[in-house]
């Protein structure tokens, strides 16, 4: 009896040690993925900055098109990093004595929807301030610097956006004032940077906005690198705390931010041309929302399965598989279903801003956007159940 009890104790200790080793590997692999994806996003932002610099030195229509393509390419990587939000990590957390590693620059990089008139000219009657508010670019009393853009961001309301991806997007494409049925993005002319009023200030604004974005991404790369301020904190956390944080981002993105804010909201919105709702789509100037949705979902998959680019290692899914094979299968099926539904949106022959005019969240039979919503929310539920299997409560 004593021998059997001792053997059981030894087996229990060995199992516990193996489980802890696996958790350590999952946490380390996640940190590597976070750092590499931020580094790739930073490098793409540098390419965008260089392309914009070339364009501003010699403005032309082909130069503007190259800058647009560079913005689109950079978004492909950045969109995959949004799953690191709501993980009690630097991108969301304000710096304090308790959290000296806090950066809290997510809103500075990616806030939306924006009141374009806060930045530049808009078509009369299309924005709350159009015609009465000069916009930062037209206000010659304001010196345009990256510091000023950071200070002005969300200063008046949550739509008073002066910095980040969507401010740059607006400065490249301009307002999208076409009806969604036309399938066209914003149609800004390169002459806005040559002969039109405030051309020099517009160029200065674009240059400073991309400088700030590059700086924001560099801060995240540095804090997440091996030996970086937050990487050191994260890898020293209690395993249960670290695992809860990393999986909460995926839970938040699937069950709330992507499915609700970025999909249901524009489906039901009446803001935009002919009450189309296009003002509330994520990348409304470039009509790139279909790709935003896909890469946001891909970011969720990266976290769940421990993969990104050439990186592949122990994952949250592997931990669930060890604990409950049936639940792991349910999680994988939910992820596969969500990806298949967002791929339909990403590859649809109809642009996202037209798709949202054809359905609402109260339809008896859902269209492709709401089908994507249902699949993502089901995935969020499965992430929560899977976390419970590991003793982690996300609700």
């Amino acid at each position: 009896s004593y021998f059997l009890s001792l053997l059981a104790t030894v087996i229990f200790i060995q199992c516990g040690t193996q489980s802890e080793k696996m958790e350590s590997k999952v946490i380390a692999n996640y940190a590597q993925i976070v750092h590499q994806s931020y580094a790739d996003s930073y490098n793409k932002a540098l390419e965008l900055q260089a392309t914009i610099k070339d364009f501003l030195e010699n403005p032309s229509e082909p130069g503007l098109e190259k800058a647009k393509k560079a913005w689109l390419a950079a978004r492909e990587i950045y969109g995959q990093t949004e799953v690191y939000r709501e993980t009690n990590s630097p991108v969301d957390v304000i710096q304090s004595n308790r959290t000296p590693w806090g950066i809290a620059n997510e809103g500075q990089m990616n806030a939306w929807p924006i009141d374009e008139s806060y930045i530049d000219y808009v078509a009369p009657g299309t924005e709350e301030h159009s015609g009465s508010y000069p916009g930062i670019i037209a206000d010659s009393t304001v010196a345009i610097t990256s510091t000023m853009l950071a200070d002005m961001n969300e200063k008046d309301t949550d739509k008073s956006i002066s910095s980040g991806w969507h401010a740059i997007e607006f400065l490249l494409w301009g307002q999208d004032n076409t009806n969604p049925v036309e399938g066209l993005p914003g149609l800004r002319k390169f002459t806005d940077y040559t002969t039109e009023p405030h051309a020099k200030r517009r160029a200065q604004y674009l240059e400073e906005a991309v400088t700030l974005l590059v700086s924001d991404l560099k801060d995240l790369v540095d804090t997440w690198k091996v030996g970086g301020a937050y990487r050191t904190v994260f890898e020293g956390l209690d395993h249960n705390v670290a695992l809860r944080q990393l999986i909460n981002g995926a839970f938040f993105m699937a069950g709330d931010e992507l499915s609700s804010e970025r999909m249901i909201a524009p489906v039901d919105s009446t803001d935009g041309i002919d009450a189309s709702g296009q003002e509330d789509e994520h990348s409304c100037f470039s009509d790139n929302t279909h790709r935003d949705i896909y890469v946001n979902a891909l970011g969720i998959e990266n976290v769940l399965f421990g993969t990104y680019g050439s990186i592949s290692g122990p994952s949250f899914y592997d931990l669930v598989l060890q604990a409950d094979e049936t639940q792991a299968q349910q999680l994988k099926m939910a992820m596969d279903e969500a990806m298949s539904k967002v791929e339909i949106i990403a590859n649809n022959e109809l642009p996202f801003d037209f798709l949202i005019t054809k359905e609402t969240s109260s339809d008896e039979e859902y269209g492709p956007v709401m089908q994507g919503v249902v699949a993502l929310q089901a995935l969020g539920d499965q992430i929560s159940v899977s976390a419970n299997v590991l003793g982690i409560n996300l609700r």
Side-chain angles (χ1 to χ4, degrees):
S1 177
Y2 171 75
F3 175 75
L4 289 175
S5 176
L6 181 63
L7 181 63
T9 301
V10 170
I11 291 172
F12 177 78
I13 291 171
Q14 285 180 335
C15 288
T17 303
Q18 288 172 355
S19 177
E20 286 179 11
K21 283 183 180 178
M22 182 64 163
E23 289 171 357
S24 290
K25 289 178 180 178
V26 170
I27 291 164
N29 187 54
Y30 170 82
Q32 185 185 5
I33 287 171
V34 175
H35 173 254
Q36 189 59 54
S37 55
Y38 274 140
D40 290 347
S41 187
Y42 167 69
N43 287 329
K44 283 294 183 183
L46 285 176
E47 291 177 20
L48 171 62
Q49 184 178 41
T51 308
I52 285 174
K53 184 174 183 289
D54 288 344
F55 164 65
L56 294 177
E57 285 178 354
N58 185 25
S60 67
E61 199 62 42
L64 181 57
E65 288 305 310
K66 283 184 180 178
K68 290 176 181 178
K69 286 179 181 176
W71 186 92
L72 293 170
R75 285 292 289 181
E76 288 290 300
I77 305 300
Y78 179 80
Q80 295 176 63
T81 72
E82 293 198 68
V83 72
Y84 313 139
R85 294 180 55 197
E86 297 298 319
T87 59
N88 197 40
S89 66
V91 73
D92 283 324
V93 174
I94 295 171
Q95 190 177 52
S96 69
N97 290 334
R98 193 171 59 85
T99 56
W101 42 263
I103 299 173
N105 59 357
E106 195 281 329
Q108 193 162 282
M109 292 190 296
N110 200 44
W112 69 284
I114 76 176
D115 176 353
E116 305 98 293
S117 65
Y118 190 64
I119 297 173
D120 200 7
Y121 74 88
V122 296
T126 57
E127 289 292 343
E128 182 181 350
H129 298 297
S130 58
S132 61
Y133 188 85
I136 295 168
I137 287 171
D139 187 353
S140 59
T141 65
V142 178
I144 297 174
T145 65
S146 57
T147 301
M148 179 277 292
L149 296 185
D151 290 343
M152 293 285 284
N153 198 50
E154 297 183 295
K155 186 176 180 181
D156 292 346
T157 71
D158 60 2
K159 292 183 77 170
S160 303
I161 308 304
S162 57
S163 66
W165 289 103
H166 299 296
I168 296 167
E169 179 194 10
F170 170 55
L171 289 168
L172 294 176
W173 274 271
Q175 272 188 307
D176 182 1
N177 289 323
T178 59
N179 190 295
V181 74
E182 297 176 59
L184 295 170
L187 302 172
R188 187 185 290 278
K189 300 292 186 183
F190 83 93
T191 51
D192 271 359
Y193 293 92
T194 55
T195 57
E196 293 300 319
H198 314 298
K200 286 186 178 179
R201 283 180 61 83
R202 191 170 292 112
Q204 191 176 6
Y205 195 117
L206 179 56
E207 187 174 20
E208 292 296 325
V210 76
T211 295
L212 181 58
L213 178 64
V214 165
S215 174
D216 279 334
L217 288 166
K218 182 67 161 58
D219 287 345
L220 291 166
V221 174
D222 288 346
T223 200
W224 274 102
K225 70 184 179 184
V226 174
Y230 187 70
R231 178 74 166 262
T232 304
V233 168
F234 179 72
E235 292 188 332
L237 291 173
D238 176 85
H239 285 183
N240 283 343
V241 174
L243 290 171
R244 186 189 187 283
Q245 288 182 187
L246 73 84
I247 201 57
N248 194 68
F251 174 65
F252 163 73
M253 185 57 68
D256 184 8
E257 180 67 16
L258 178 54
S259 57
S260 181
E261 296 298 319
R262 303 186 183 190
M263 295 172 73
I264 294 177
V267 160
D268 286 343
S269 173
T270 56
D271 288 345
I273 303 294
D274 296 336
S276 63
Q278 66 179 347
E279 278 287 305
D280 286 320
E281 64 164 327
H282 196 43
S283 294
C284 66
F285 312 117
S286 61
D287 280 352
N288 193 55
T289 305
H290 62 301
R291 293 302 306 174
D292 288 330
I293 290 169
Y294 175 78
V295 294
N296 284 170
L298 185 57
I300 298 168
E301 188 172 56
N302 294 345
V303 168
L304 293 184
F305 295 93
T307 58
Y308 169 78
S310 62
I311 298 171
S312 181
S315 66
F316 175 79
Y317 169 77
D318 293 328
L319 291 176
V320 179
L321 186 63
Q322 276 188 345
D324 187 332
E325 191 173 335
T326 300
Q327 180 52 39
Q329 186 178 16
Q330 292 295 316
L331 179 64
K332 187 175 189 310
M333 287 171 59
M335 186 73 248
D336 290 346
E337 175 69 3
M339 287 306 294
S340 72
K341 294 301 184 186
V342 299
E343 282 172 1
I344 289 171
I345 297 168
N347 299 323
N348 205 290
E349 61 181 13
L350 299 176
F352 182 83
D353 63 353
F354 186 55
L355 285 177
I356 60 176
T357 67
K358 300 169 72 68
E359 54 182 293
T360 74
S361 64
S362 57
D363 293 338
E364 286 189 17
E365 290 189 20
Y366 284 152
V369 178
M370 285 305 302
Q371 287 178 30
V373 167
V374 170
L376 284 162
Q377 290 181 339
L379 172 60
D381 290 340
Q382 289 301 325
I383 291 171
S384 180
V385 173
S386 298
N388 284 339
V389 164
L390 302 178
I392 300 168
N393 180 21
L394 298 177
R395 297 292 183 180

